Amino acid sequence: MFPEIPMLSYDVVVVGGGPAGMAAAIRAKELGLKVLLLDENDYLGGILPQCIHPGFGLHYYREELTGPEFASRLAKRLVELGVEYRTAARVLEIKNYSDLEKVVIFTSPSGAYQVWAKAVIYAAGARERHAFEIGIVGDRVSGIYTAGEAQTLMDLYGIMPGKEIVIVGSGDVGLIMARRFALEGAKVKAVVELMPYPGGLARNVMILKDFNIPLYLSHKVVEVRGKGRVERVKVVRVDENLNEIPGSEFWIEADTLIISAGLVPSVKKLKKIGVEIDPATGGPVVNDRLETSVPGIFVAGNSLLINDLVDYVAEQGELAAEGAKEFIENGGIESRKWVKVEKGENVRLIAPHYLSGDRDVYLYLRVSKPMEDVELRIPEIGKRMKLPVVKPAEMLRIKLKAEEIRKAERLTVEVVKA
Amino acid sequence: MIYRFTCIVCPLGCSIEVEVEDGKVKEVKGCRCPRGKEWAVQEVTSPRRVVMSVVPVEGGALPTVSVKTAEPVPKEKIPELMKFLAKLKLKAPVKVGETVAEWEGIKIVATRGA
Ligand SMILES: Cc1cc2nc3c(=O)[nH]c(=O)nc-3n(C[C@H](O)[C@H](O)[C@H](O)COP(=O)(O)OP(=O)(O)OC[C@H]3O[C@@H](n4cnc5c(N)ncnc54)[C@H](O)[C@@H]3O)c2cc1C
């Protein structure tokens, strides 16, 4: 602790003011906890204020909203309830002194602060994978952006990042960016996708047809050339093992390269205090209250695992707040025994990892490969659910009842041909 | 003429085929529900989309506010609408949900405050 830095005191500190953090702070306040929400941006909402397309809130609000609309509903509720929050407040460090003694250190325009808290809800979102991470080499030029950077420029600041665009990645984010560029009059010359199938939802893949944008499946961008600014990018075809096919390369002229190659949970500060990370989700290993391996540290939203629906993100925020309440009241999260959740066939990732059987839970999972007419099975308890289609891009959410969970020592979730 | 596409009404993603003759829909194949069929027919006869963009705003916390059309607009009219939106300029305060302009009877609604 730093004696010269002012000390505040709360029951719970929420790190991050995106949908996960706002939903967590709202629920914590409703449950009677003294809560402080911190976000490093100048505004609340996380990445939502820049996601101006519709497609948010169908489950949570039973209405189709745009990202900023979804964010402003949560922000309004937050303000109505009188939740204390600070923007332009960047969390530098979390310290774990003991189960009920955490200190969160943050800086803000009015100086640095440390906050004493009994529990912390970590909802700092995710970071985008960048060009180097996906092996693109070449000149150090301007005009290379991640999708989120380009979206921020265009949809918060009204600045077009370029005129002739190549997009790497056909997930929903890449496809939605393709539409934004095309609508604003840029020429999208290609969307390049490594896998043999598009990564996004069918309704977003349709965007490419709407604007006659070519999609190169089983292709990758490997090199960028230009003097000062991007001038051309090199594309190569890959075989079924994702190996480059010699002689198949070609160049596309463009002034801008957009990298939309997926998100990674942002968990650096958690790793530092010894939180166990699941290599499959990239986020922490959690129990069914979304508590990490460090007691009293909870996690929600894209810091837990990459979500495609904001509705689930908000739901996780609420759950983490309920966990924090229980933790503070009982001096810990109790369970007689934890039932471990295991990945079976065609399950790439799954969370939560440990279930108490004291309550109903939602399992969030993703498959490794697309399949049709399948069954999700949990053999230990004889559970079977028919699913017409599964795709890696779409997160599945499965409800398990407390009494089902209690029937077994462990649960293996598999997605197999029906 | 046969149009083939993937239905987007629900996650099932049926592969639909719509046969059109002399501007009339003759047959719709491949969809598993009436909503999908209705959507497919609309998609070949008069496709519509909700359109979103940002417009500059003076005196707000951010330099733009985001907007959307209150209802889906005919696809072929989108470029014209974008030209109209490109000319708009707003002044703070703007509230979420406020109608900030109208274009051919279609309301343009702010989706962010300023
Ligand atoms: C382009 C795009 C399109 C999308 N489209 C859809 C869609 O159509 N429908 C849908 O439902 N979902 C969509 N999503 C997904 C959805 O937006 C996200 O899942 C959701 O916003 C994640 O919320 P979050 O609260 O976990 O993280 P974020 O929204 O990322 O919020 C995290 C917050 O934490 C803050 N933070 C991080 N570190 C610190 C620190 N050290 N100190 C203080 N604050 C910190 C950040 O500033 C940020 O505000 C889309 C996402 C993207 C990127």
Side-chain angles (χ1 to χ4, degrees):
Chain A
M1 262 166 287
F2 307 97
E4 67 281 12
I5 302 180
M7 181 65 108
L8 314 171
S9 178
Y10 286 85
D11 290 328
V12 192
V13 173
V14 179
V15 181
M22 284 200 286
I26 289 168
R27 191 81 190 106
K29 179 83 179 179
E30 286 170 347
L31 292 169
L33 297 175
K34 189 174 181 225
V35 53
L36 175 67
L37 174 95
L38 301 170
D39 196 293
E40 63 189 2
N41 286 333
D42 293 332
Y43 48 83
L44 290 176
I47 56 168
L48 295 181
Q50 72 189 54
C51 297
I52 65 167
H53 59 279
F56 295 82
L58 275 172
H59 301 268
Y60 199 73
Y61 289 117
R62 297 187 184 283
E63 257 185 84
E64 185 164 21
L65 303 171
T66 64
E69 289 171 317
F70 190 97
S72 64
R73 290 224 184 160
L74 282 176
K76 186 163 173 257
R77 176 92 181 116
L78 191 100
V79 170
E80 276 168 5
L81 278 173
V83 174
E84 287 180 66
Y85 70 91
R86 294 206 191 193
T87 50
R90 159 168 254 188
V91 173
L92 299 181
E93 200 174 347
I94 299 165
K95 288 176 187 256
N96 182 45
Y97 287 106
S98 72
D99 281 8
L100 282 160
E101 296 169 301
K102 326 279 179 205
V103 169
V104 175
I105 297 163
F106 72 94
T107 57
S108 77
S110 61
Y113 295 86
Q114 26 192 0
V115 199
W116 227 189
K118 295 173 189 148
V120 172
I121 299 175
Y122 192 81
R127 69 167 183 82
E128 297 179 277
R129 299 212 298 151
H130 47 70
F132 301 129
E133 243 173 316
I134 57 169
I136 296 177
V137 300
D139 294 327
R140 284 197 142 203
V141 286
S142 65
I144 305 176
Y145 300 93
T146 65
E149 286 165 352
Q151 198 180 46
T152 303
L153 279 175
M154 235 188 310
D155 292 337
L156 292 182
Y157 297 101
I159 298 164
M160 277 299 279
K163 294 196 187 81
E164 300 204 306
I165 315 234
V166 172
I167 297 175
V168 179
S170 67
D172 291 315
V173 175
L175 297 171
I176 283 164
M177 288 312 291
R179 171 173 62 194
R180 279 297 292 139
F181 286 125
L183 271 175
E184 296 298 340
K187 174 119 190 77
V188 182
K189 302 196 85 169
V191 173
V192 181
E193 169 61 54
L194 181 64
M195 304 306 282
Y197 46 84
L201 304 173
R203 64 188 229 168
N204 290 331
V205 178
M206 211 167 81
I207 289 169
L208 300 178
K209 225 187 229 169
D210 273 4
F211 294 99
N212 295 317
I213 298 169
L215 170 64
Y216 294 95
L217 296 173
S218 296
H219 278 76
K220 70 197 251 199
V221 170
V222 288
E223 194 177 326
V224 186
R225 288 291 163 202
K227 288 192 197 72
R229 173 91 193 186
V230 177
E231 286 167 11
R232 56 190 197 283
V233 301
K234 186 163 144 188
V235 182
V236 157
R237 201 147 59 80
V238 298
D239 62 21
E240 56 271 32
N241 300 317
L242 306 183
N243 294 321
E244 294 172 25
I245 299 173
S248 69
E249 57 275 332
F250 58 96
W251 290 88
I252 302 177
E253 276 174 43
D255 61 15
T256 305
L257 181 66
I258 302 294
I259 312 294
S260 175
L263 302 166
V264 186
S266 156
V267 289
K268 250 196 206 149
K269 289 180 187 63
L270 295 183
K271 275 190 188 160
K272 240 179 132 179
I273 50 171
V275 165
E276 188 190 337
I277 303 298
D278 170 2
T281 58
V285 172
V286 292
N287 62 27
D288 62 13
R289 281 302 203 206
L290 305 189
E291 185 187 30
T292 67
S293 61
V294 174
I297 305 277
F298 297 81
V299 63
N302 279 358
S303 291
L304 169 64
L305 84 172
I306 301 307
N307 287 272
D308 34 34
L309 287 184
V310 73
D311 309 78
Y312 301 162
V313 166
E315 169 180 290
Q316 290 156 14
E318 291 175 3
L319 187 59
E322 284 156 20
K325 165 83 173 171
E326 185 182 323
F327 178 84
I328 292 167
E329 247 172 26
N330 304 340
I333 300 281
E334 282 252 26
S335 170
R336 271 153 288 145
K337 63 164 205 211
W338 292 106
V339 177
K340 187 157 194 285
V341 179
E342 305 272 3
K343 290 178 291 182
E345 204 181 313
N346 200 20
V347 172
R348 182 160 63 89
L349 56 87
I350 192 162
H353 307 77
Y354 292 94
L355 311 180
S356 62
D358 297 337
R359 58 187 72 90
D360 300 354
V361 295
Y362 286 115
L363 290 176
Y364 304 96
L365 63 125
R366 283 182 196 274
V367 297
S368 327
K369 53 178 200 287
M371 278 172 92
E372 274 179 35
D373 296 316
V374 291
E375 245 177 32
L376 181 141
R377 291 189 195 152
I378 307 179
E380 290 91 342
I381 55 170
K383 196 173 175 85
R384 285 162 164 241
M385 278 175 67
K386 275 208 176 354
L387 299 166
V389 248
V390 292
K391 296 175 190 163
E394 278 169 57
M395 197 165 82
L396 299 172
R397 172 171 162 274
I398 309 296
K399 188 168 185 165
L400 289 186
K401 291 218 171 299
E403 56 268 25
E404 288 180 295
I405 298 164
R406 280 200 298 271
K407 280 200 259 175
E409 297 285 317
R410 46 137 86 196
L411 301 171
T412 312
V413 182
E414 56 190 30
V415 177
V416 290
K417 265 274 178 243
Chain B
M1 175 85 181
I2 293 180
Y3 295 85
R4 289 191 181 83
F5 41 83
T6 310
C7 185
I8 59 164
V9 173
C10 85
L12 282 183
C14 299
S15 304
I16 304 188
E17 277 185 24
V18 184
E19 197 180 338
V20 180
E21 227 181 69
D22 304 327
K24 282 212 171 76
V25 174
K26 249 186 80 188
E27 203 184 349
V28 184
K29 274 196 282 198
C31 47
R32 289 174 241 192
C33 81
R35 271 171 69 215
K37 189 169 175 181
E38 198 180 305
W39 173 81
V41 170
Q42 158 120 55
E43 191 52 33
V44 295
T45 50
S46 70
R48 287 168 171 266
R49 304 281 183 267
V50 168
V51 175
M52 60 274 149
S53 187
V54 294
V55 296
V57 64
E58 220 175 84
L62 288 165
T64 64
V65 288
S66 47
V67 296
K68 68 175 182 191
T69 55
E71 56 194 282
V73 300
K75 203 170 113 180
E76 77 277 2
K77 292 202 137 188
I78 294 175
E80 213 180 300
L81 167 62
M82 290 305 288
K83 278 189 198 130
F84 169 81
L85 292 177
K87 284 192 214 114
L88 276 185
K89 276 202 178 77
L90 302 175
K91 276 206 172 85
V94 177
K95 278 212 190 97
V96 182
E98 192 179 316
T99 301
V100 295
E102 214 173 293
W103 177 78
E104 305 207 343
I106 290 166
K107 291 194 166 93
I108 312 295
V109 180
T111 57
R112 219 165 43 214

mmCIF file of all heavy atoms in Angstrom, chain A residues 253-286:
data_model
loop_
_atom_site.group_PDB
_atom_site.id
_atom_site.type_symbol
_atom_site.label_atom_id
_atom_site.label_comp_id
_atom_site.label_asym_id
_atom_site.label_seq_id
_atom_site.Cartn_x
_atom_site.Cartn_y
_atom_site.Cartn_z
ATOM 1 N N GLU A 253 -3.950 -4.659 -54.881
ATOM 2 C CA GLU A 253 -3.603 -3.269 -54.584
ATOM 3 C C GLU A 253 -4.603 -2.689 -53.605
ATOM 4 O O GLU A 253 -5.819 -2.835 -53.789
ATOM 5 C CB GLU A 253 -3.592 -2.450 -55.876
ATOM 6 C CG GLU A 253 -2.267 -2.583 -56.599
ATOM 7 C CD GLU A 253 -2.268 -1.899 -57.935
ATOM 8 O OE1 GLU A 253 -2.788 -0.764 -58.005
ATOM 9 O OE2 GLU A 253 -1.762 -2.512 -58.887
ATOM 10 N N ALA A 254 -4.108 -2.058 -52.565
ATOM 11 C CA ALA A 254 -4.974 -1.481 -51.537
ATOM 12 C C ALA A 254 -4.176 -0.468 -50.740
ATOM 13 O O ALA A 254 -2.952 -0.541 -50.703
ATOM 14 C CB ALA A 254 -5.476 -2.587 -50.608
ATOM 15 N N ASP A 255 -4.878 0.488 -50.124
ATOM 16 C CA ASP A 255 -4.153 1.444 -49.282
ATOM 17 C C ASP A 255 -4.346 1.152 -47.797
ATOM 18 O O ASP A 255 -3.777 1.820 -46.934
ATOM 19 C CB ASP A 255 -4.538 2.891 -49.618
ATOM 20 C CG ASP A 255 -6.014 3.177 -49.386
ATOM 21 O OD1 ASP A 255 -6.690 2.376 -48.702
ATOM 22 O OD2 ASP A 255 -6.509 4.200 -49.902
ATOM 23 N N THR A 256 -5.178 0.145 -47.512
ATOM 24 C CA THR A 256 -5.505 -0.132 -46.119
ATOM 25 C C THR A 256 -5.694 -1.632 -45.895
ATOM 26 O O THR A 256 -6.339 -2.298 -46.712
ATOM 27 C CB THR A 256 -6.810 0.604 -45.721
ATOM 28 O OG1 THR A 256 -6.650 1.995 -46.012
ATOM 29 C CG2 THR A 256 -7.123 0.441 -44.251
ATOM 30 N N LEU A 257 -5.135 -2.122 -44.804
ATOM 31 C CA LEU A 257 -5.314 -3.529 -44.434
ATOM 32 C C LEU A 257 -5.956 -3.569 -43.051
ATOM 33 O O LEU A 257 -5.464 -2.945 -42.106
ATOM 34 C CB LEU A 257 -3.949 -4.233 -44.402
ATOM 35 C CG LEU A 257 -3.984 -5.720 -44.043
ATOM 36 C CD1 LEU A 257 -4.689 -6.528 -45.127
ATOM 37 C CD2 LEU A 257 -2.571 -6.264 -43.821
ATOM 38 N N ILE A 258 -7.081 -4.280 -42.966
ATOM 39 C CA ILE A 258 -7.801 -4.381 -41.697
ATOM 40 C C ILE A 258 -7.645 -5.787 -41.147
ATOM 41 O O ILE A 258 -7.954 -6.760 -41.838
ATOM 42 C CB ILE A 258 -9.311 -4.079 -41.905
ATOM 43 C CG1 ILE A 258 -9.519 -2.684 -42.496
ATOM 44 C CG2 ILE A 258 -10.077 -4.249 -40.592
ATOM 45 C CD1 ILE A 258 -9.130 -1.543 -41.602
ATOM 46 N N ILE A 259 -7.181 -5.890 -39.923
ATOM 47 C CA ILE A 259 -6.995 -7.200 -39.302
ATOM 48 C C ILE A 259 -8.177 -7.481 -38.373
ATOM 49 O O ILE A 259 -8.386 -6.780 -37.388
ATOM 50 C CB ILE A 259 -5.703 -7.241 -38.450
ATOM 51 C CG1 ILE A 259 -4.510 -6.673 -39.217
ATOM 52 C CG2 ILE A 259 -5.433 -8.658 -37.949
ATOM 53 C CD1 ILE A 259 -4.080 -7.451 -40.410
ATOM 54 N N SER A 260 -8.913 -8.510 -38.734
ATOM 55 C CA SER A 260 -10.039 -8.900 -37.899
ATOM 56 C C SER A 260 -9.897 -10.380 -37.611
ATOM 57 O O SER A 260 -10.633 -11.209 -38.137
ATOM 58 C CB SER A 260 -11.337 -8.594 -38.639
ATOM 59 O OG SER A 260 -12.403 -9.066 -37.891
ATOM 60 N N ALA A 261 -8.886 -10.700 -36.837
ATOM 61 C CA ALA A 261 -8.475 -12.096 -36.675
ATOM 62 C C ALA A 261 -8.755 -12.609 -35.279
ATOM 63 O O ALA A 261 -8.056 -13.454 -34.757
ATOM 64 C CB ALA A 261 -6.990 -12.225 -37.010
ATOM 65 N N GLY A 262 -9.794 -12.089 -34.691
ATOM 66 C CA GLY A 262 -10.220 -12.646 -33.416
ATOM 67 C C GLY A 262 -9.757 -11.853 -32.208
ATOM 68 O O GLY A 262 -8.878 -11.001 -32.286
ATOM 69 N N LEU A 263 -10.391 -12.165 -31.086
ATOM 70 C CA LEU A 263 -10.133 -11.468 -29.830
ATOM 71 C C LEU A 263 -9.522 -12.439 -28.823
ATOM 72 O O LEU A 263 -9.721 -13.646 -28.928
ATOM 73 C CB LEU A 263 -11.455 -10.925 -29.262
ATOM 74 C CG LEU A 263 -12.251 -9.976 -30.150
ATOM 75 C CD1 LEU A 263 -13.664 -9.813 -29.603
ATOM 76 C CD2 LEU A 263 -11.577 -8.628 -30.239
ATOM 77 N N VAL A 264 -8.802 -11.888 -27.869
ATOM 78 C CA VAL A 264 -8.207 -12.672 -26.796
ATOM 79 C C VAL A 264 -8.605 -12.008 -25.473
ATOM 80 O O VAL A 264 -8.430 -10.799 -25.334
ATOM 81 C CB VAL A 264 -6.659 -12.641 -26.900
ATOM 82 C CG1 VAL A 264 -6.036 -13.567 -25.879
ATOM 83 C CG2 VAL A 264 -6.200 -12.993 -28.307
ATOM 84 N N PRO A 265 -9.160 -12.765 -24.509
ATOM 85 C CA PRO A 265 -9.512 -12.148 -23.228
ATOM 86 C C PRO A 265 -8.321 -11.386 -22.643
ATOM 87 O O PRO A 265 -7.183 -11.840 -22.740
ATOM 88 C CB PRO A 265 -9.880 -13.346 -22.345
ATOM 89 C CG PRO A 265 -10.348 -14.379 -23.299
ATOM 90 C CD PRO A 265 -9.500 -14.195 -24.540
ATOM 91 N N SER A 266 -8.633 -10.235 -22.078
ATOM 92 C CA SER A 266 -7.579 -9.391 -21.546
ATOM 93 C C SER A 266 -7.415 -9.702 -20.063
ATOM 94 O O SER A 266 -8.249 -9.312 -19.249
ATOM 95 C CB SER A 266 -8.017 -7.954 -21.818
ATOM 96 O OG SER A 266 -7.439 -7.077 -20.962
ATOM 97 N N VAL A 267 -6.386 -10.471 -19.715
ATOM 98 C CA VAL A 267 -6.296 -11.010 -18.351
ATOM 99 C C VAL A 267 -4.935 -10.796 -17.680
ATOM 100 O O VAL A 267 -4.628 -11.421 -16.671
ATOM 101 C CB VAL A 267 -6.622 -12.533 -18.326
ATOM 102 C CG1 VAL A 267 -8.095 -12.756 -18.572
ATOM 103 C CG2 VAL A 267 -5.798 -13.305 -19.343
ATOM 104 N N LYS A 268 -4.127 -9.916 -18.256
ATOM 105 C CA LYS A 268 -2.767 -9.698 -17.733
ATOM 106 C C LYS A 268 -2.754 -9.437 -16.232
ATOM 107 O O LYS A 268 -1.962 -10.005 -15.495
ATOM 108 C CB LYS A 268 -2.144 -8.490 -18.437
ATOM 109 C CG LYS A 268 -1.017 -8.867 -19.377
ATOM 110 C CD LYS A 268 -0.208 -7.631 -19.725
ATOM 111 C CE LYS A 268 0.459 -7.815 -21.071
ATOM 112 N NZ LYS A 268 0.622 -6.560 -21.798
ATOM 113 N N LYS A 269 -3.645 -8.542 -15.793
ATOM 114 C CA LYS A 269 -3.637 -8.151 -14.381
ATOM 115 C C LYS A 269 -4.072 -9.301 -13.479
ATOM 116 O O LYS A 269 -3.710 -9.339 -12.305
ATOM 117 C CB LYS A 269 -4.540 -6.938 -14.168
ATOM 118 C CG LYS A 269 -3.910 -5.709 -14.770
ATOM 119 C CD LYS A 269 -4.741 -4.479 -14.592
ATOM 120 C CE LYS A 269 -4.125 -3.353 -15.364
ATOM 121 N NZ LYS A 269 -4.092 -3.613 -16.830
ATOM 122 N N LEU A 270 -4.861 -10.205 -14.036
ATOM 123 C CA LEU A 270 -5.287 -11.361 -13.245
ATOM 124 C C LEU A 270 -4.159 -12.370 -13.140
ATOM 125 O O LEU A 270 -3.931 -12.970 -12.090
ATOM 126 C CB LEU A 270 -6.520 -12.008 -13.890
ATOM 127 C CG LEU A 270 -7.786 -11.152 -13.927
ATOM 128 C CD1 LEU A 270 -8.940 -11.942 -14.536
ATOM 129 C CD2 LEU A 270 -8.170 -10.672 -12.529
ATOM 130 N N LYS A 271 -3.443 -12.570 -14.244
ATOM 131 C CA LYS A 271 -2.315 -13.514 -14.238
ATOM 132 C C LYS A 271 -1.307 -13.129 -13.166
ATOM 133 O O LYS A 271 -0.737 -13.975 -12.496
ATOM 134 C CB LYS A 271 -1.614 -13.490 -15.599
ATOM 135 C CG LYS A 271 -2.244 -14.404 -16.630
ATOM 136 C CD LYS A 271 -1.315 -14.476 -17.839
ATOM 137 C CE LYS A 271 -1.950 -15.209 -18.987
ATOM 138 N NZ LYS A 271 -1.303 -14.879 -20.266
ATOM 139 N N LYS A 272 -1.114 -11.806 -13.047
ATOM 140 C CA LYS A 272 -0.117 -11.293 -12.100
ATOM 141 C C LYS A 272 -0.411 -11.679 -10.657
ATOM 142 O O LYS A 272 0.493 -11.803 -9.848
ATOM 143 C CB LYS A 272 -0.082 -9.764 -12.207
ATOM 144 C CG LYS A 272 1.274 -9.236 -12.617
ATOM 145 C CD LYS A 272 1.246 -7.752 -12.737
ATOM 146 C CE LYS A 272 2.412 -7.120 -12.019
ATOM 147 N NZ LYS A 272 2.369 -5.658 -12.168
ATOM 148 N N ILE A 273 -1.698 -11.866 -10.335
ATOM 149 C CA ILE A 273 -2.012 -12.276 -8.958
ATOM 150 C C ILE A 273 -2.291 -13.776 -8.883
ATOM 151 O O ILE A 273 -2.867 -14.274 -7.921
ATOM 152 C CB ILE A 273 -3.186 -11.479 -8.353
ATOM 153 C CG1 ILE A 273 -4.388 -11.463 -9.299
ATOM 154 C CG2 ILE A 273 -2.757 -10.085 -7.983
ATOM 155 C CD1 ILE A 273 -5.636 -10.874 -8.667
ATOM 156 N N GLY A 274 -1.880 -14.497 -9.918
ATOM 157 C CA GLY A 274 -1.914 -15.951 -9.841
ATOM 158 C C GLY A 274 -3.224 -16.609 -10.240
ATOM 159 O O GLY A 274 -3.451 -17.780 -9.944
ATOM 160 N N VAL A 275 -4.101 -15.869 -10.925
ATOM 161 C CA VAL A 275 -5.353 -16.476 -11.381
ATOM 162 C C VAL A 275 -5.040 -17.525 -12.453
ATOM 163 O O VAL A 275 -4.293 -17.260 -13.390
ATOM 164 C CB VAL A 275 -6.288 -15.381 -11.948
ATOM 165 C CG1 VAL A 275 -7.423 -15.986 -12.767
ATOM 166 C CG2 VAL A 275 -6.847 -14.522 -10.823
ATOM 167 N N GLU A 276 -5.618 -18.712 -12.282
ATOM 168 C CA GLU A 276 -5.377 -19.792 -13.236
ATOM 169 C C GLU A 276 -6.128 -19.528 -14.543
ATOM 170 O O GLU A 276 -7.311 -19.184 -14.528
ATOM 171 C CB GLU A 276 -5.838 -21.121 -12.620
ATOM 172 C CG GLU A 276 -5.445 -22.323 -13.448
ATOM 173 C CD GLU A 276 -6.105 -23.615 -12.968
ATOM 174 O OE1 GLU A 276 -6.503 -23.694 -11.774
ATOM 175 O OE2 GLU A 276 -6.230 -24.537 -13.783
ATOM 176 N N ILE A 277 -5.416 -19.686 -15.679
ATOM 177 C CA ILE A 277 -6.003 -19.409 -16.991
ATOM 178 C C ILE A 277 -6.269 -20.716 -17.734
ATOM 179 O O ILE A 277 -5.461 -21.638 -17.696
ATOM 180 C CB ILE A 277 -5.040 -18.523 -17.825
ATOM 181 C CG1 ILE A 277 -4.714 -17.206 -17.100
ATOM 182 C CG2 ILE A 277 -5.609 -18.245 -19.227
ATOM 183 C CD1 ILE A 277 -5.887 -16.290 -16.825
ATOM 184 N N ASP A 278 -7.409 -20.790 -18.413
ATOM 185 C CA ASP A 278 -7.741 -21.938 -19.255
ATOM 186 C C ASP A 278 -7.198 -21.659 -20.655
ATOM 187 O O ASP A 278 -7.636 -20.710 -21.300
ATOM 188 C CB ASP A 278 -9.273 -22.100 -19.274
ATOM 189 C CG ASP A 278 -9.754 -23.116 -20.305
ATOM 190 O OD1 ASP A 278 -8.909 -23.734 -20.986
ATOM 191 O OD2 ASP A 278 -10.987 -23.289 -20.417
ATOM 192 N N PRO A 279 -6.255 -22.467 -21.144
ATOM 193 C CA PRO A 279 -5.677 -22.173 -22.469
ATOM 194 C C PRO A 279 -6.726 -22.199 -23.585
ATOM 195 O O PRO A 279 -6.540 -21.540 -24.608
ATOM 196 C CB PRO A 279 -4.643 -23.284 -22.675
ATOM 197 C CG PRO A 279 -4.661 -24.134 -21.477
ATOM 198 C CD PRO A 279 -5.706 -23.660 -20.522
ATOM 199 N N ALA A 280 -7.822 -22.927 -23.397
ATOM 200 C CA ALA A 280 -8.832 -23.026 -24.455
ATOM 201 C C ALA A 280 -9.653 -21.747 -24.597
ATOM 202 O O ALA A 280 -9.882 -21.266 -25.701
ATOM 203 C CB ALA A 280 -9.754 -24.219 -24.192
ATOM 204 N N THR A 281 -10.086 -21.166 -23.472
ATOM 205 C CA THR A 281 -10.879 -19.925 -23.556
ATOM 206 C C THR A 281 -9.969 -18.702 -23.576
ATOM 207 O O THR A 281 -10.364 -17.643 -24.049
ATOM 208 C CB THR A 281 -11.811 -19.764 -22.331
ATOM 209 O OG1 THR A 281 -11.001 -19.766 -21.150
ATOM 210 C CG2 THR A 281 -12.847 -20.872 -22.262
ATOM 211 N N GLY A 282 -8.755 -18.836 -23.035
ATOM 212 C CA GLY A 282 -7.873 -17.681 -22.873
ATOM 213 C C GLY A 282 -8.250 -16.860 -21.651
ATOM 214 O O GLY A 282 -7.570 -15.909 -21.294
ATOM 215 N N GLY A 283 -9.344 -17.215 -21.004
ATOM 216 C CA GLY A 283 -9.799 -16.513 -19.802
ATOM 217 C C GLY A 283 -9.579 -17.390 -18.575
ATOM 218 O O GLY A 283 -9.063 -18.501 -18.685
ATOM 219 N N PRO A 284 -9.964 -16.898 -17.396
ATOM 220 C CA PRO A 284 -9.729 -17.658 -16.170
ATOM 221 C C PRO A 284 -10.569 -18.927 -16.064
ATOM 222 O O PRO A 284 -11.635 -19.031 -16.671
ATOM 223 C CB PRO A 284 -10.156 -16.681 -15.067
ATOM 224 C CG PRO A 284 -10.223 -15.354 -15.700
ATOM 225 C CD PRO A 284 -10.541 -15.576 -17.132
ATOM 226 N N VAL A 285 -10.066 -19.862 -15.276
ATOM 227 C CA VAL A 285 -10.844 -21.027 -14.868
ATOM 228 C C VAL A 285 -11.801 -20.534 -13.779
ATOM 229 O O VAL A 285 -11.368 -19.865 -12.846
ATOM 230 C CB VAL A 285 -9.907 -22.117 -14.305
ATOM 231 C CG1 VAL A 285 -10.692 -23.257 -13.690
ATOM 232 C CG2 VAL A 285 -8.964 -22.606 -15.401
ATOM 233 N N VAL A 286 -13.098 -20.814 -13.921
ATOM 234 C CA VAL A 286 -14.069 -20.284 -12.946
ATOM 235 C C VAL A 286 -15.036 -21.342 -12.446
ATOM 236 O O VAL A 286 -15.251 -22.371 -13.097
ATOM 237 C CB VAL A 286 -14.915 -19.129 -13.559
ATOM 238 C CG1 VAL A 286 -14.060 -17.903 -13.815
ATOM 239 C CG2 VAL A 286 -15.637 -19.577 -14.819
#
